[in-house]
Amino acid sequence: MTEASVLIVDDEQEFLEGIGERLRIRDFLVDTAASGMEALTRLGQAGYDVIVLDLMMPGLNGLETLKLALEKNPDLQIILLTGQASVKYAVEAMQEGALDFMEKPVNLDVLADKIREGRTKRLKLDETRRMDLINEILTTRGW
């Protein structure tokens, strides 16, 4: 059984290939994107549980991509990665709705656990939203 559907976004091709393959071995369904714009395009084409997003990229950086991705789908769970850790960026990322902020090189076991956590959180949000809709229908129809 597939663990979770993950989109990895990073401008470093070797990193994308390496981490993508290592997560696939752990039964994650993995897509990759080499830029923030490509990631946003992919969001419109497929549903993901979690996005693993590099902070520093040319064009749209990770924070900008995070904001736009959450506008498209507020239930998305986003983990930001950076090779240039900064408390300022970590705080901003969390305030903008990131699930977590991790430093490169990332421990793959910890990342896999965070991805699982993100999927669980997304599924709970989806379930809550569906139950709210059902309750609204039942209330407005008088059943």
Side-chain angles (χ1 to χ4, degrees):
M1 183 173 137
T2 302
E3 286 272 357
S5 177
V6 183
L7 177 62
I8 303 170
V9 187
D10 199 298
D11 59 320
E12 296 176 33
Q13 191 62 36
E14 288 180 23
F15 178 81
L16 278 179
E17 292 171 6
I19 201 160
E21 186 57 34
R22 292 173 70 197
L23 288 171
R24 284 183 193 98
I25 289 169
R26 287 173 162 81
D27 290 326
F28 290 96
L29 180 61
V30 178
D31 279 338
T32 60
S35 71
M37 287 305 295
E38 184 180 351
L40 294 173
T41 298
R42 288 189 182 273
L43 286 178
Q45 299 169 348
Y48 298 100
D49 295 310
V50 177
I51 298 176
V52 177
L53 180 61
D54 186 30
L55 177 64
M56 297 297 183
M57 295 183 293
L60 284 179
N61 69 33
L63 286 174
E64 294 165 332
T65 304
L66 172 123
K67 291 174 190 177
L68 294 170
L70 289 176
E71 283 177 14
K72 284 186 170 207
N73 183 348
D75 290 347
L76 264 176
Q77 301 302 303
I78 300 176
I79 300 167
L80 275 168
L81 298 180
T82 184
Q84 304 156 12
S86 158
V87 172
K88 175 187 171 227
Y89 287 127
V91 169
E92 187 174 352
M94 301 305 278
Q95 288 175 337
E96 292 295 335
L99 174 66
D100 210 334
F101 188 90
M102 301 174 73
E103 283 187 70
K104 291 180 183 179
V106 66
N107 178 308
L108 199 64
D109 290 330
V110 174
L111 178 60
D113 287 344
K114 285 293 176 184
I115 292 169
R116 289 182 193 102
E117 177 187 328
R119 179 176 193 231
T120 299
K121 186 174 180 182
R122 192 200 58 76
L123 290 173
K124 286 180 181 177
L125 288 168
D126 188 50
E127 180 68 19
T128 299
R129 196 175 319 286
R130 289 175 194 266
M131 290 304 298
D132 288 347
L133 179 61
I134 289 168
N135 288 333
E136 182 181 326
I137 290 169
L138 292 174
T139 301
T140 59
R141 301 243 169 106
W143 293 333

